[in-house]
Amino acid sequence: MCGIAGFVGEPDGAFAELATRRMVAALSRRGPDAEGLETWDGAVLGHRRLSIFDLSDAGRQPMLSADRSIGLAFNGAIYNFHALREELVRQGYTFRSNCDTEVLLHGYHAWGIDALVTRLRGMFAIGLWDNRARTLYLVRDRLGVKPLVYAEHNGAIAFASTTRALRAAGVVGEIDPQAVAEYLEYGYVTDGRTIYRGAAKVAAATIVEWRDGEVREREYWSPPEAKASSPPSFDEAVEETERLFLRAVEMRLFADVPVGALLSGGIDSSLVCWAISRLGGNITAFTVGAPGDAMDETADARATANQLHIHHTVLATTPEDSPDSGELVSAYGEPFACASALGMLQVSRAVKQSATVLLTGDGGDDVFLGYPEHGHLWRAQTLARSLPGAAAALWPVCRKLVPTHGLARRARHFLDYATGGLGAVAAAHDGLPLYQRTGMLGERLLTARLPQRAIPWSRESARHLLRDFLDYDRHGRFAGEYMTKVDGATMHYALEARSPFLDQDLWEFAAALPFDVRLRGGQLKAVLRELARRRIGERVAHGKKRGFGIPVERWLTTRWRKPMEEALHDSLLHREGWIRSPQVIRQLAAAAHHGHAPKQLWYLFVLETWMRRERAASAETTPAGSLARLSRGR
């Protein structure tokens, strides 16, 4: 894990180098072990290193070919680099290091960027400069585990691991109102845009190619759709999942630093620890305990560890240890209000004292269908396929008569999904509309509209609702919230997170399983539950899903109420026209009366804290010359 940066196509080399140095400095927490910078005529690459493979100086970055014609800055981990290295050695390449970065360098020379990327198995964000071809490649892994952003203008392009690094260089600075609206809708900015105008995120499974001032991009992978013909039986699916999962875990145990595993009381992390035990791995499993809290999973985790005979450490925390909004905005380059990110920061801070690599269970729910909405949408899809056309056409008229609260509200949404498909699902999300109803939005957002809310309602989409939703979710919440949460929290403490459930072979196999296999008998995550039942036991297979989070909706009415009120009475968001703080204060007072605040108030608290930090940092950044021209437009 590392932080990468670069600046290409800027005619003033001194300014390009200055910008890259600023970006590298902004990425210091992602890579505390070493810093590197390399320059060519018209190109600069920078790097901050978190040493995982080959801790010697031979693994330093940016890494260059012997003739300096190729330079590489890389963030991530290539789990099959040993096999790729053997293939390259057979082709005559020699290696001076034992790290995965050098495999990328020689692999590009041998196969070119497209053939190289198809061979990679891992998580990665790559910035590669080919000096002979005068071409820059920016590449992001298949599922978007590692972040990569860029800004381009008038033929020049700057890239970095975070938007904050781009801002530190002075190449971006103006806030995008559309991104603010999107943040207020979801609590994060999706991968389709960034909080700053003029910047973009490299999409998952995408190669961005810069040459002669022109930027082109191409997608190199997409997950398969569920197969309708000749599917494996349920038992065959469980057996193949076990085989692929064990291999995925085995590949992620390789490191030259201490490796640990996160163990909660749930299925996914328990399966990771079972696989480690089965493979003979000698690592410690960590559980972050919250004594006295209803969400505490210490007892379940300890029982699993004892059953698996693995080393286990409980890292006890107290409410005073919990991160606050200040730590949250420090860890994430964009406003990010995922409440469980506070828990992930707490986990990362505690685990970093004992390990540098941490295996997690992220991704199991997403591809094996473990979230409650997966079951709801599957049932709505089933209804849509049996619903007569006349009945489906009649529902838009009848729905106005159905109450919008209580159990009737749930039934109304369900019938919306069964007749309107993805458009109905996207519209059911109560984000931006709550601000609009309560008058909390300032003049800069009064006319804000989101394309996600303009998805047409369609009976055809309803008949394929779960398929459509999974694709929508992968490009939205999965990449924008889930992957961002883990990367931001762990890298804030220089900790490398690895999840076997994000292995591409396992993901492709699971994604191709029919929905009635993954949801056999209407049971969420049926394949993984059965694997857990067979290998660990009923206690884990049918345990209640909890998760490690922070009750921000309750704390906003208690311990965080005063700080939020103080911020609102002198609100930067209000002064700049984003919100109307008197209306927000009234909403906060009403929430305090009930002891529970809507999450949209939490979003505003985080945004206020983030915006103040951004403005203070911008005042310290004084771009000059070509940097100022890039950020303002020439």
Side-chain angles (χ1 to χ4, degrees), residues 302-318:
R302 185 176 286 117
T304 300
N306 290 337
Q307 181 179 345
L308 299 177
H309 305 291
I310 60 174
H311 300 295
H312 183 227
T313 296
V314 176
L315 304 169
T317 63
T318 66

Side-chain angles (χ1 to χ4, degrees), residues 5 22 132 254 287 310 408 435 440 450 475 560 563 594-595 608 616:
R22 286 174 172 172
R132 289 176 178 168
F254 295 126
T287 300
I310 60 174
Y435 300 103
M440 289 190 282
L450 294 172
H475 289 96
W560 288 344
H594 297 290
E608 177 74 36

Side-chain angles (χ1 to χ4, degrees), residues 3 132 218 280 580:
R132 289 176 178 168
R218 55 188 180 272
R580 295 173 177 171

Side-chain angles (χ1 to χ4, degrees), residues 387-398 419 459:
L387 200 63
L394 186 62
W395 170 244
V397 179
C398 298
T419 57
R459 286 169 54 192

Side-chain angles (χ1 to χ4, degrees), residues 127 170 230 276 329 366 368 464 469 522 543:
S230 303
I276 293 170
V329 302
D366 300 275
F368 283 98
H464 304 281
F469 175 79

Side-chain angles (χ1 to χ4, degrees), residues 47 112 196 242 327 552 582:
H47 189 262
Y196 299 111
E242 178 176 352
E327 185 171 4
V552 296

